Amino acid sequence: MSDRDELLAGIKARAVIYGDFVLSSGRHASSYVDLRRVLLDGRLAPLAGRVLLNATADLAYEAVGGLTLGADPVACAMMHAAASRGTPLDAFVVRKAEKTHGTQRRIEGPDVAGRRVLAVEDTSTTGASVLTAVDALQEAGAEVVGVAVLVERGARPRVLDRGLPYRAVYELAELGL
């Protein structure tokens, strides 16, 4: 079984939940894809990292990350998968707002100024979170080469309208939604 197929089975088994949910976009949904149940699983997270690296192999980037919290385990999975391949990749975290204490940084981790970076998120409905990260990255002097998500819930048009390549590993239909 391929990494992509094994990860899909894991997402279907562990991350797809049915009920009445309010998404971060404010929209209501009868299903929720809780990818933290996959991205924080010791067996499935490495699969997610490898699958995302493969899905973005045509984009040249040195660092990966996005808006906390949805992007954090995605970036870490990719960072570890890249390291296991012998191709180090830095990860970073974009805060929702600049800190008012300490270093007062909005983007934590290695400096992104002048670097090619990939903005990631676990799943995206409107693209608002990942595009907030894109804006912060560009303001910090990074060159954003694209956006990647594990599950596409509707953000594609908005990201493409910004002129960014968009990679989604799975569409909702593949999850049976």
Side-chain angles (χ1 to χ4, degrees), residues 25-110:
S25 64
R27 295 181 186 171
H28 284 267
S30 59
S31 62
Y32 185 75
V33 182
D34 185 357
L35 288 171
R36 287 172 295 262
R37 295 176 180 208
V38 168
L39 290 162
L40 297 173
D41 178 286
R43 186 180 66 79
L44 295 173
L47 289 172
R50 291 192 302 268
V51 168
L52 278 161
L53 287 175
N54 291 341
T56 59
D58 64 319
L59 303 173
Y61 52 93
E62 306 165 65
V64 60
L67 197 65
T68 196
L69 176 73
D72 301 348
V74 176
C76 287
M78 292 178 74
M79 177 182 67
H80 288 290
S84 73
R85 291 180 175 178
T87 55
L89 176 67
D90 289 337
F92 56 83
V93 174
V94 179
R95 294 177 177 277
K96 293 178 181 168
E98 193 173 88
K99 280 178 32 174
T100 58
H101 61 282
T103 60
Q104 299 179 342
R105 294 182 68 186
R106 175 121 191 244
I107 301 172
E108 297 290 352

Side-chain angles (χ1 to χ4, degrees), residues 97-162:
E98 193 173 88
K99 280 178 32 174
T100 58
H101 61 282
T103 60
Q104 299 179 342
R105 294 182 68 186
R106 175 121 191 244
I107 301 172
E108 297 290 352
D111 193 11
V112 297
R115 299 180 78 194
R116 293 174 58 85
V117 303
L118 179 70
V120 297
E121 192 168 23
D122 52 3
T123 184
S124 191
T125 303
T126 66
S129 293
V130 76
L131 290 175
T132 296
V134 166
D135 291 340
L137 289 162
Q138 290 173 335
E139 288 170 17
E143 179 187 347
V144 179
V145 300
V147 170
V149 300
L150 275 172
V151 177
E152 157 62 8
R153 282 192 79 108
R156 180 178 280 114
R158 192 164 172 205
V159 173
L160 293 176
D161 282 349
R162 291 281 300 269

Side-chain angles (χ1 to χ4, degrees), residues 5-16 37-38 43-44:
D5 291 342
E6 189 175 350
L7 181 59
L8 178 59
I11 290 171
K12 287 179 174 180
R14 298 185 184 188
V16 178
R37 295 176 180 208
V38 168
R43 186 180 66 79
L44 295 173

